[in-house]
Amino acid sequence: MSAAKPRNGEAPPLLEVVGLKKHYPVRKGMFSRTVGQILAVDGIGFIIEAGETLGLVGESGCGKSTAGKAILKLIDPTAGTVKVRGERIDQLTRAEMRPYRRELQVVFQDPYSSLNPRMNVGDIVGEPLRNYGIAGGADLERRVAQLFEKVGLRGEAMQRYPHEFSGGQRQRIGIARALALNPSLIVCDEPVSALDVSVQAQVINLLMDLQAEFGLSYLFVAHDLAVVEHISHRIAVMYLGKIVELTDKKALFANPLHPYTEALLSAVPLPDPDAKRDRIILKGDVPSPINPPSGCRFHTRCPYAFDRCSQEEPPMQEILPGHHVACHLRDAGPAGVTAVVPGVMSAAV
């Protein structure tokens, strides 16, 4: 499903994702018979405009990273459409995807395993430029040195190897490699989760500075809401393969409309040691993506669930301007007025 409105003849967004699914078969027995499907990503949709950052958050295992890889066609999606500037790319062959690789880049989560230990970092950053025939010889070395300077590293470090750098420096090298082909969109797959807190701030600020300078767009995958709030323009909350809420960051933090979002926000630490917050403790564990619950997938843990939640899957609706949510507690009436089930959620609408 998509949370995007018709654009009435306007230019298409940089990225448009509609009904994206990625299912993995579960095989058993001597003949590897398929006995089920892991519904890692199960019908998500959103758009990202030029120069915008969309944060994608949720618990570990909810499908965030899988969604990013499917959008980039690092893995083939099971269903759905992915469009870049209005052109479908989800069905393209490897050769047909090559021009789009310049538009779409990725920064991986682990700065240690994402760099080839047998190559010096100058060759790692320059490899995309060589592969596309953009630069070579002295021009290549000059371009790589400029990329190093852009991410806060010295040009003389180009001859060193990945093991000679700290985690934060390695992630800067990964960012430089992503910038090499002047992309329009970078998928940041939890780029700071493996770094110390002080280094996290440096990398986040670097990404924001690069966005302002080059007009980059980011799909920022993370589970740290404080980081996502700092860097994102809009935030999509994901649970068990589905997006349950999508809005701008101010609206999400001030007025969460989905019980899962409400629970996530209640777990964010407050900088004031004397401040108190009512912590919402969700019951039970996250259900298996092989056999997700019927109806709303969150109903088995939701403190506000009622009969309809277990029987009918809630559609994604625009409850407030720009604020989309998939929850039976929030129903848009015929006049666009939000109906809230009495006595359940305290958030005002």
Side-chain angles (χ1 to χ4, degrees):
M1 66 183 67
S2 173
K5 289 183 177 180
R7 299 175 66 85
N8 298 323
E10 297 178 12
L14 173 61
L15 178 73
E16 182 178 5
V17 179
V18 179
L20 183 66
K21 297 183 179 182
K22 180 57 184 178
H23 298 170
Y24 293 97
V26 179
R27 305 183 190 278
K28 283 187 177 181
M30 182 181 299
F31 300 103
S32 297
R33 292 184 299 108
T34 300
V35 296
Q37 297 283 335
I38 299 175
L39 311 183
V41 178
D42 198 29
I44 66 171
F46 52 81
I47 64 173
I48 299 179
E49 301 285 0
E52 181 185 30
T53 299
L54 176 68
L56 187 60
V57 302
E59 293 173 273
S60 295
C62 72
K64 307 184 300 295
S65 295
T66 302
K69 292 174 183 176
I71 289 167
L72 295 172
K73 279 185 68 66
L74 298 179
I75 55 176
D76 289 326
T78 303
T81 63
V82 179
K83 295 182 179 180
V84 175
R85 303 190 193 279
E87 299 293 329
R88 283 189 68 173
I89 67 169
D90 53 276
Q91 296 178 328
L92 299 182
T93 65
R94 184 174 180 177
E96 291 169 338
M97 271 297 297
R98 183 172 171 82
Y100 291 97
R101 296 295 181 200
R102 298 183 63 169
E103 288 267 331
L104 310 173
Q105 288 292 308
V106 60
V107 176
F108 293 101
Q109 176 178 357
D110 187 356
Y112 294 90
S113 63
S114 62
L115 302 178
N116 189 337
R118 299 182 180 181
M119 297 173 65
N120 66 50
V121 294
D123 288 341
I124 289 173
V125 174
E127 188 175 28
L129 296 169
R130 288 193 301 272
N131 287 346
Y132 279 86
I134 295 174
D139 185 38
L140 175 64
E141 188 172 344
R142 178 183 59 81
R143 285 173 177 257
V144 172
Q146 290 176 342
L147 287 167
F148 270 63
E149 292 175 4
K150 286 293 182 186
V151 299
L153 295 173
R154 294 182 178 179
E156 54 262 32
M158 290 164 50
Q159 300 305 316
R160 294 161 59 186
Y161 286 81
H163 71 272
E164 300 179 72
F165 295 87
S166 67
Q169 289 173 325
R170 289 190 192 197
Q171 199 61 290
R172 289 173 183 266
I173 294 166
I175 294 170
R177 178 176 58 185
L179 288 173
L181 295 176
N182 193 25
S184 299
L185 173 72
I186 299 179
V187 174
C188 301
D189 185 7
E190 303 203 34
V192 298
S193 63
L195 307 178
D196 293 338
V197 174
S198 59
V199 181
Q200 286 185 11
Q202 296 173 16
V203 173
I204 291 298
N205 289 334
L206 170 63
L207 289 170
M208 295 177 70
D209 290 343
L210 292 171
Q211 183 177 49
E213 182 175 354
F214 298 109
L216 296 169
S217 297
Y218 297 133
L219 174 61
F220 194 90
V221 177
H223 59 265
D224 189 330
L225 283 167
V227 170
V228 172
E229 181 183 19
H230 185 65
I231 194 172
S232 301
H233 298 100
R234 293 185 300 131
I235 299 175
V237 180
M238 201 166 175
Y239 182 80
L240 206 60
K242 289 186 175 291
I243 291 177
V244 297
E245 188 163 1
L246 174 61
T247 186
D248 67 86
K249 67 178 179 182
K250 290 183 179 179
L252 188 86
F253 281 82
N255 186 25
L257 297 184
H258 196 282
Y260 179 60
T261 309
E262 190 180 38
L264 286 181
L265 293 178
S266 77
V268 177
L270 296 172
D272 184 356
D274 296 324
K276 294 183 179 180
R277 172 179 283 165
D278 293 332
R279 179 77 167 87
I280 299 174
I281 307 297
L282 297 177
K283 59 185 179 181
D285 297 322
V286 180
S288 169
I290 299 176
N291 186 26
S294 60
C296 175
R297 296 189 176 182
F298 186 60
H299 85 264
T300 57
R301 306 176 70 197
C302 181
Y304 312 121
F306 55 104
D307 290 344
R308 185 183 176 192
C309 299
S310 62
Q311 300 166 3
E312 181 184 338
E313 182 178 343
M316 181 70 83
Q317 300 182 84
E318 187 175 15
I319 301 302
L320 295 172
H323 198 149
H324 301 80
V325 65
C327 182
H328 291 310
L329 301 176
R330 311 287 185 181
D331 277 332
V337 178
T338 303
V340 183
V341 176
V344 285
M345 293 178 68
S346 58
V349 291

